[in-house]
Amino acid sequence: MADLEDWKQLADKEVKGKSLDWHTPEGIIVKPLYTAEDVTVDPGLPGFAPFTRGVKASMYAGRPWTIRQYAGFSTAEESNAFYRRNLAAGQKGLSVAFDLATHRGYDSDHPRVVGDVGKAGVAIDSVEDMKILFDQIPLDEMSVSMTMNGAVIPCLAFYIIAAEEQGVSQDKLSGTIQNDILKEFMVRNTYIYPPEPSMRIISDIFAYTADHMPKFNSISISGYHMQEAGATQVQELAFTIADGMEYVKYGVASGLDIDKFAGRLSFFFAIGMNFFMEIAKLRAARALWYRAMTQLGAKSERSKMLRTHCQTSGVSLTEQDPYNNVIRTTIEAMAAMLGGTQSLHTNALDEAIALPTDFSARIARNTQIVIQEETGMCNVVDPLGGSYYIEALTQELVDKAWEIIERVEAEGGMAKAVGAGWPKAMIEEAAAARQARVDRGEDVIVGVNKYRLANEDLLETLEVDNTKVREAQIARINQVKANRNEEACQAALKALTEGAKGKGNLLALAVDAARQRATLGEISAAMEVVFDRYGTVPTPVKGVYAAPYEGDSRWQQVLDGVQAVEHRLGRKPRLLVAKMGQDGHDRGANVVASAFSDMGFEVVSGPLFQTPEETLALALEKKVDVVGASSLAAGHKTLIPELIRLLKAEGRADIKVIAGGVIPPQDYEYLRDAGVQGIYGPGTNVVECAADVLRLLGHNMPPLEEAAE
């Protein structure tokens, strides 16, 4: 029988001495062959500590994971109808997507959210909206997940009162509230208050749900948005577990018994296209959480058991050749299943550019149903357990993630690390490096940087009439305020403010205010009086995007072009990267800012959540040549044309406006007619984008392909 040395000699001969090792972005060297010698840790059995092989002994052989599709758009009425259609078609749990105005604690009538209402989720302003959202959906039978962090207090209060008025007591409610603010400060940015009061809010929710909602998960600690922002799987794993440890420590510090609330903590991970890495990541997460909770003093096995929801990657979806996204989502769904998730959302094929239609949502949902019902995958518990590769990779992830966790703990915990900014910087460096690999073709994306179609077919996409939704929401807000007992409502809001100053439980006080029909904006503002509103300005990383391009002729041509424009202007060409509206996803904006800075542009990164008026003022103050407007949440048809109108009114039509991000191709003509001079959707090569900007600035820039020849 051949031994390992025989295999090495044969393989070396076949590839003529070329190394077959794969160096992953996580810093892991993946070998082409694994044997029993590579398995150094016994993973145990499913249902037993450290739960590497699954949290249940029977796993899907006993009951498959919950199909929990994340959805919400427009009004509560529209979303409710969509939910009920999906439930009738086989979906098993609800996952609510709120619009950005709601996330940021603004009522729909607030002037800062004109372009955001109902666009990227459902608008919820009051208990009445929440009651409509769950109309004819029995909340004592339906598990409900709510992705909410900033305005978590009013949203959870509205859900409790909506259930109460449906006749369902709090102890019967099951589901999850995300309630994970640390990752907001790192990557997603839909925060409202500064870190310290935000952590107090989490502790208050732990305490309230422990006393009143024993079946409800009081937090979903999310790594999903970290990977979507560019984190490697090791970074996502480490920072998610470290966040969970920080929340547990805050709960204990607030006087809670660790085993009273820790068993209701849950997790949320992204599942990308690195198939085996994602499977190993979920297994490693369970082993890491068991170790972490043991160190923190938990005694109950349930407190040490990591349960997770997963969602297939949004970043892996492409605007180009979008039917490939069905394949990507299927592969990612299989990775989540083989990793042992408790529930799963599968993205729709059109979500790179718009909200899913009924057609695309059905394919996404049926992807899970087919895996559950047709493949036989659910019949074996942990089918990849014992694989030499999977077991070795799982342990490698445990070791590398624990190194980062130990650094976090040595520096005082995750809250201090977030305050210091190094986790965010680490993720942004990974994002810039990934973009450079894609732009150079080192990381292949089929249909984008390889096997590109000559002509792309347009997808029919769902579009929300933002003006119509906002008008309907404002009418309901006015009706709610007209019908409520104003004196009782104001007294409840005042009590909430006093509670924010002192030690009252903020969720309990908000439940009282919700019962009196206080709106989401009013409840948020009652706490903002005490806590203030938090804001930051992005700081792009430097040098990471440029490093792989050393010696690249196309890169050098752009550098030469920037220098030529600089010589003509007497200064560097100046770009303002603007994030208008309430969308906090800043991966694309930060990558562009980093790359353009490395190419020699002077880049001004605007603060998040700007209005068009604020962007105008900053553009004039900084004397920029170009404004790059980053859009991810469908506000491009309102916010960008308004900025162009304001520039013209100031006599500065010479300032070029370009747009990038999630913009459906069918909207390109509308934006060009409005005066947008360059549109760069998902998958755009950033070096080619820079060359195009130089042409807009009057530089005679030949196509980069010619330069490469």
Side-chain angles (χ1 to χ4, degrees), residues 536-538 574-580 602-608 610-628 643 646-647 650 652 655:
T536 57
V537 177
R574 201 170 287 146
L575 168 72
L576 168 60
V577 178
K579 284 288 296 180
M580 294 183 289
E602 182 181 336
V603 177
V604 178
S605 286
L608 299 175
Q610 285 193 309
T611 63
E613 291 80 6
E614 289 165 342
T615 300
L616 168 73
L618 187 59
L620 298 178
E621 176 195 341
K622 298 296 184 180
K623 298 182 173 60
V624 303
D625 306 298
V626 182
V627 177
L643 173 62
L646 292 170
L647 284 166
E650 285 290 326
R652 293 305 310 272
I655 296 177

Side-chain angles (χ1 to χ4, degrees), residues 176-197:
T176 305
I177 187 81
Q178 192 164 99
N179 193 27
D180 175 8
I181 205 65
L182 285 174
K183 70 96 174 41
E184 298 295 332
F185 294 116
M186 270 195 286
V187 291
R188 189 165 177 252
N189 300 309
T190 51
Y191 42 66
I192 300 175
Y193 313 111
E196 188 173 343

